[in-house]
Amino acid sequence: MQQLLIIIKKEIIIALREKLVLVLGGIMVLLLGIALYAGFLSYQQQQTIITQKQAEKREEWLHQGDKHPHIAAHYGTFVFKPKTVLSLFDFGLDAFTGTSIYLEAHHQHEFMFRPAQDHSSMIRFGELSATLVLKVLIPLLIIFLSFNAYTRERESGTLKLLISQGISFGTLSWGKILAYCTILTIILSPFLIGLLLFSWVGNPSQAMPDETLRLVLLTLAYGVYLFLFISFSVWVSLRSSTGRNALLILLSSWIFLTILMPKTVVNLSKSLYTLPSMREFKEAIEQGKVYGLDGKTPRSERIASLEKRLLEEYKVDSVHQLPFNFEGVKMQDGEEYTHKVYDHHFGKIKETFHRQNRLSSFASLINPFLSVQNLSMAFSGTDMYTFLHFEEQVETYRREMIRKMNNDMAENSKYGEFFEYAAGRDLWEELEDFSYQPPTVGELLQQYRLELASLFIWTALFLLLINYTNRKMKPLHG
Amino acid sequence: MLQATNLTKKYGNFTALNSLNLSVNEGEIFCLLGANGAGKSTTINLFLNFIEPTDGTASIQSMDVTKHAKETKQMLSYIPENLMLYPNLTGLENLDFFCGLGGKSYEKEQLVELLQQSGLQPDFIHKRVGKYSKGMRQKVGIALARARQASVLLLDEPTSGLDPKASNEFSELLLDMKEKGVATLMATHDLFRAKDTGTHIGIMKEGELIEQFASADVSFQDLEKLYLKHMHN
């Protein structure tokens, strides 16, 4: 233990006296600071707009005046995806998925205001965010910090002197690994403190009740990921004969793990599980609405069938004799059929998304970068799963809104009298304001179990590998 | 103290060391002479357990170095041909670090004294080792050996490349340690230094110890003749 502490202290002192480490460390602190501050400003700005607009739209809904419920259903309203305070850390898919959606009868609209639309194609390479620095650039710092952990000792001859003092390779390796972990903690501390402060300032409880737990899990996931990079670098250095070889292996691995493989997985998932174009998708939905899901049941037939069924059920000859406004029931029936059409086509899209994500999850078993990327977005609430979860709640809300309008129309107005009936604020108030309940941490852990398994397996593998290599190692070959 | 019994090291078909038998007792300085590739450094490396012997044993205080690596290393101090220290640490910090690893804890003043006793100029004690000459680094090595209170000293051509004054100072320090009962095994090319400092001399050729004798039994001229005779045969 004493030896371990002495090694840690020595490695830290030496690293802090290296100009390259100081310069790179300083750049990382600066980049993280900029990313954090920019992320916070963006979060604050968007959150303010969202809160304000959400309140405005609610007021508009409540104060729309007396009108026919179906007109109100078309007048509709907007809902906004709340920004989570952790999205300042990882923007995730927010730039691509959009932030607001218009809710009205008959149509399940797509999300609007996607920040990516306002950017050039360069956004695909990633905006400067804290997660980009942590996932991609900090590993580069780790490589420059530790590629010569052993090779420099070997090349300069200090390794022989160290081992002649009775120190084992195990103590030496762990001393180096823990020293680099400490240096990294020092570099990342201002960022972590800043993130905590911004989380408090950002009034987190509004959007995400379990934000503290998510923050802890985020820290843990990144901690494990960076520990893996440190262990890998030290292990490569231990196995390499020269610093040049170690650096070459580590830089090649970095390019493969953080750039090539993630891009390849995305392209592969897009090729294997193709999404229809927006035009094809909308056309298919329109066809489904007009001609039925089987293509043989047109809308007029469905209406005639409903009319026949109701007339038989209530034993009357005309829809005028029904104890409710047939128009309202017809609207709701049409709406429910439209739901089936949307569920069918959106279901296929969601299944494709699910398959694409599953490929990325499986690939994360090979590449911990993908694990931390997926977990980071998940805990920040900016991943595809959370987006689809939000979309589902929005659609449930829209359907409830339309159902209320149609039911009111059926119960309170007469068939053939459209403009004569007007509902008022009592009805609008029946529809509660939209409030999103994000998935719990438990759900996320279940959803991202492969990513978690990947980090666990890689950690176990590296611990075994380092211990095995330490046991077999001699300062000289032979 | 130091004992090699049928100590052999082979790399494939090449025999680097063949059935070496030697012993070095307390207060003795055994100098191994020989050309490059004679097996001198291999012998030192086997005692350090840096490489595994193919056959035979190297033991310190009757303990096999391969089976009691930690215990035997605690008894020894090693100074290679070119003692490399951490250039970003001062001489004092290097000494403190290596002493700490060996389980020896000293006050700063004691370490300064050890460095001064080993001949390091006071001005350089607090300077980074990157600015040291080879001789200065070797002196830190001697200070380390003293600080560790090693009973065994393994030296691999420690005076190679040192100027005569530094080399002479180094020999004096070795003699001082010899007086304290330290058993020293030194690989060297320097016949003069071997005769001057060593109590015993062994001549190695092609992995074999072909001759060994007490230093006092030969004159420097005889030693030179004997050495050249073996090298030319």
Side-chain angles (χ1 to χ4, degrees):
Chain A
M1 189 62 184
Q2 184 68 19
Q3 284 184 329
L4 189 71
L5 293 174
I6 291 169
I7 296 280
I8 293 171
K9 185 183 160 196
K10 184 267 290 182
E11 291 292 336
I12 292 173
I13 291 173
I14 288 180
L16 294 180
R17 288 180 186 174
E18 293 269 358
K19 274 185 191 154
L20 180 70
V21 173
L22 289 179
V23 170
L24 285 178
I27 291 172
M28 294 302 158
V29 170
L30 197 68
L31 283 176
L32 280 169
I34 293 170
L36 190 64
Y37 187 61
F40 181 69
L41 286 183
S42 162
Y43 159 76
Q44 230 183 6
Q45 187 188 17
Q46 290 190 47
Q47 184 57 19
T48 309
I49 294 171
I50 286 170
T51 313
Q52 188 187 330
K53 290 289 165 195
Q54 184 77 63
E56 267 176 30
K57 292 296 163 190
R58 179 66 186 166
E59 283 303 299
E60 277 178 20
W61 172 258
L62 292 175
H63 295 98
Q64 60 183 303
D66 293 350
K67 59 176 68 138
H68 192 278
H70 193 69
I71 294 175
H74 273 292
Y75 179 75
T77 189
F78 276 86
V79 292
F80 298 84
K81 186 169 184 273
K83 290 292 284 183
T84 65
V85 77
L86 291 177
S87 68
L88 72 92
F89 170 80
D90 191 338
F91 309 147
L93 301 174
D94 275 4
F96 304 94
T97 51
T99 48
S100 69
I101 188 163
Y102 174 51
L103 309 182
E104 69 160 330
H106 315 314
H107 298 287
Q108 185 175 341
H109 287 284
E110 57 193 278
F111 277 74
M112 295 187 285
F113 303 115
R114 300 167 187 177
Q117 286 172 332
D118 302 329
H119 291 71
S120 69
S121 58
M122 287 302 285
I123 197 174
R124 292 185 186 281
F125 294 97
E127 285 178 275
L128 176 67
S129 64
T131 184
L132 181 81
V133 179
L134 283 174
K135 275 185 323 206
V136 181
L137 299 180
I138 293 287
L140 203 57
L141 170 72
I142 291 173
I143 289 173
F144 283 112
L145 187 68
S146 56
F147 79 94
N148 58 8
Y150 268 103
T151 51
R152 184 164 53 186
E153 304 261 22
R154 193 175 284 121
E155 284 169 328
S156 70
T158 47
L159 183 61
K160 283 162 81 176
L161 197 61
L162 277 172
I163 299 300
S164 75
Q165 308 302 309
I167 186 169
S168 67
F169 273 94
T171 309
L172 200 51
S173 294
W174 284 111
K176 286 172 184 289
I177 289 171
L178 292 174
Y180 299 139
C181 288
T182 311
I183 293 166
L184 219 57
T185 309
I186 294 169
I187 292 173
L188 297 180
S189 309
F191 166 73
L192 281 172
I193 294 167
L195 186 61
L196 270 176
L197 283 175
F198 283 140
S199 302
W200 285 328
V201 174
N203 194 12
S205 57
Q206 282 181 349
M208 211 181 256
D210 49 9
E211 208 137 61
T212 310
L213 181 58
R214 283 169 180 257
L215 190 60
V216 170
L217 289 170
L218 258 182
T219 312
L220 274 177
Y222 276 98
V224 172
Y225 169 70
L226 296 176
F227 169 78
L228 283 174
F229 245 100
I230 290 172
S231 312
F232 177 58
S233 298
V234 171
W235 181 75
V236 168
S237 187
L238 177 63
R239 298 286 303 158
S240 301
S241 51
T242 65
R244 192 173 160 274
N245 286 352
L247 188 60
L248 204 65
I249 292 169
L250 288 168
L251 285 178
S252 309
S253 307
W254 176 79
I255 291 169
F256 176 75
L257 293 171
T258 64
I259 300 169
L260 289 182
M261 193 178 163
K263 299 282 175 205
T264 309
V265 169
V266 169
N267 289 338
L268 194 67
S269 64
K270 269 168 65 183
S271 311
L272 287 176
Y273 309 113
T274 321
L275 285 164
S277 69
M278 187 58 90
R279 193 176 60 82
E280 288 168 342
F281 180 64
K282 284 187 170 173
E283 259 178 27
I285 287 173
E286 275 316 301
Q287 292 287 317
K289 283 183 190 174
V290 178
Y291 300 108
L293 274 171
D294 56 2
K296 298 170 194 162
T297 327
R299 187 183 289 155
S300 52
E301 240 179 65
R302 295 197 302 268
I303 294 169
S305 162
L306 173 73
E307 189 179 327
K308 189 175 171 233
R309 185 168 59 78
L310 288 174
L311 292 178
E312 280 173 10
E313 194 180 325
Y314 285 90
K315 296 179 178 57
V316 290
D317 303 322
S318 154
V319 289
H320 291 276
Q321 296 168 317
L322 285 169
F324 46 79
N325 185 346
F326 175 68
E327 201 63 42
V329 176
K330 187 181 88 182
M331 291 271 191
Q332 185 56 28
D333 188 71
E335 203 65 40
E336 277 164 19
Y337 193 83
T338 310
H339 297 166
K340 280 185 198 164
V341 175
Y342 277 116
D343 287 347
H344 175 75
H345 290 288
F346 271 102
K348 283 206 281 190
I349 294 275
K350 281 178 191 169
E351 182 55 28
T352 309
F353 281 145
H354 176 66
R355 284 179 180 175
Q356 288 181 346
N357 287 342
R358 201 171 47 189
L359 185 75
S360 169
S361 293
F362 274 111
S364 77
L365 288 172
I366 305 169
N367 184 354
F369 173 88
L370 292 169
S371 308
V372 83
Q373 177 171 272
N374 294 344
L375 288 172
S376 174
M377 287 191 289
F379 295 138
S380 300
T382 55
D383 60 324
M384 183 53 82
Y385 177 76
T386 306
F387 173 72
L388 294 175
H389 186 266
F390 174 71
E391 198 179 44
E392 224 166 76
Q393 286 192 20
V394 168
E395 183 54 15
T396 307
Y397 180 78
R398 186 187 75 87
R399 290 179 185 185
E400 177 61 15
M401 175 179 105
I402 306 306
R403 194 185 60 77
K404 274 189 196 300
M405 298 302 113
N406 287 336
N407 283 353
D408 182 83
M409 179 180 163
E411 286 164 16
N412 301 318
S413 67
K414 285 181 185 165
Y415 186 70
E417 293 176 1
F418 190 81
F419 291 104
E420 289 78 354
Y421 175 67
R425 186 169 171 140
D426 288 351
L427 177 62
W428 319 143
E429 275 178 352
E430 268 183 41
L431 184 74
E432 283 177 12
D433 198 7
F434 177 74
S435 166
Y436 175 57
Q437 297 304 313
T440 62
V441 166
E443 278 176 80
L444 291 176
L445 295 179
Q446 169 71 15
Q447 184 65 25
Y448 290 96
R449 57 192 181 279
L450 278 177
E451 282 80 354
L452 291 166
S454 160
L455 289 183
F456 179 77
I457 292 166
W458 278 106
T459 308
L461 266 178
F462 266 106
L463 293 179
L464 288 172
L465 193 64
I466 287 172
N467 284 338
Y468 174 79
T469 312
N470 285 335
R471 278 207 307 275
K472 294 282 167 192
M473 216 60 195
K474 289 271 181 190
L476 296 173
H477 296 294
Chain B
M1 186 72 83
L2 275 167
Q3 182 89 36
T5 311
N6 296 323
L7 194 59
T8 303
K9 180 65 190 176
K10 291 181 180 176
Y11 295 98
N13 293 328
F14 173 72
T15 304
L17 191 67
N18 191 18
S19 203
L20 176 78
N21 288 290
L22 69 77
S23 63
V24 186
N25 297 316
E26 277 180 30
E28 286 183 357
I29 300 177
F30 195 111
C31 296
L32 286 174
L33 291 170
N36 289 337
K40 305 186 300 291
S41 295
T42 305
T43 306
I44 302 279
N45 287 333
L46 283 163
F47 272 107
L48 285 162
N49 193 31
F50 284 175
I51 46 176
E52 295 272 349
T54 313
D55 202 6
T57 54
S59 54
I60 296 173
Q61 290 277 45
S62 307
M63 283 188 279
D64 187 337
V65 296
T66 58
K67 290 174 186 154
H68 302 275
K70 199 169 180 184
E71 294 91 326
T72 53
K73 282 201 179 92
Q74 275 167 356
M75 284 184 247
L76 64 84
S77 200
Y78 163 65
I79 302 176
E81 179 184 353
N82 195 358
L83 183 78
M84 292 307 294
L85 300 162
Y86 295 104
N88 279 346
L89 299 183
T90 65
L92 185 68
E93 286 170 337
N94 267 290
L95 184 60
D96 188 28
F97 168 67
F98 283 109
C99 284
L101 283 187
K104 305 281 180 195
S105 177
Y106 290 97
E107 294 296 318
K108 196 177 163 189
E109 293 73 24
Q110 290 174 298
L111 293 172
V112 169
E113 200 180 321
L114 276 164
L115 285 167
Q116 283 177 338
Q117 280 173 2
S118 304
L120 189 69
Q121 294 155 261
D123 298 355
F124 278 85
I125 289 172
H126 298 284
K127 281 189 179 158
R128 291 196 190 174
V129 165
K131 291 177 180 161
Y132 282 24
S133 68
K134 183 185 170 185
M136 287 173 179
R137 293 200 303 271
Q138 300 298 81
K139 282 170 185 169
V140 177
I142 287 287
L144 176 60
R146 284 166 183 268
R148 279 174 62 86
Q149 296 163 344
S151 52
V152 171
L153 201 53
L154 295 168
L155 309 173
D156 195 356
E157 301 185 20
T159 55
S160 164
L162 289 187
D163 63 57
K165 184 173 171 282
S167 193
N168 200 44
E169 282 172 1
F170 193 84
S171 294
E172 278 174 24
L173 292 166
L174 283 189
L175 289 171
D176 181 39
M177 293 186 80
K178 176 187 150 230
E179 292 306 313
K180 288 175 179 152
V182 175
T184 304
L185 178 63
M186 175 164 73
T188 181
H189 287 294
D190 188 342
L191 267 64
F192 175 75
R193 199 63 54 200
K195 169 69 185 124
D196 187 44
T197 333
T199 57
H200 293 77
I201 296 172
I203 299 177
M204 293 191 79
K205 189 179 179 185
E206 293 169 359
E208 296 202 9
L209 182 64
I210 51 176
E211 193 143 4
Q212 58 174 313
F213 41 83
S215 169
D217 293 348
V218 288
S219 65
F220 177 70
Q221 285 78 8
D222 291 342
L223 175 63
E224 191 176 25
K225 278 180 197 167
L226 195 62
Y227 181 76
L228 290 172
K229 187 188 93 181
H230 284 304
M231 293 305 111
H232 287 139
N233 282 342

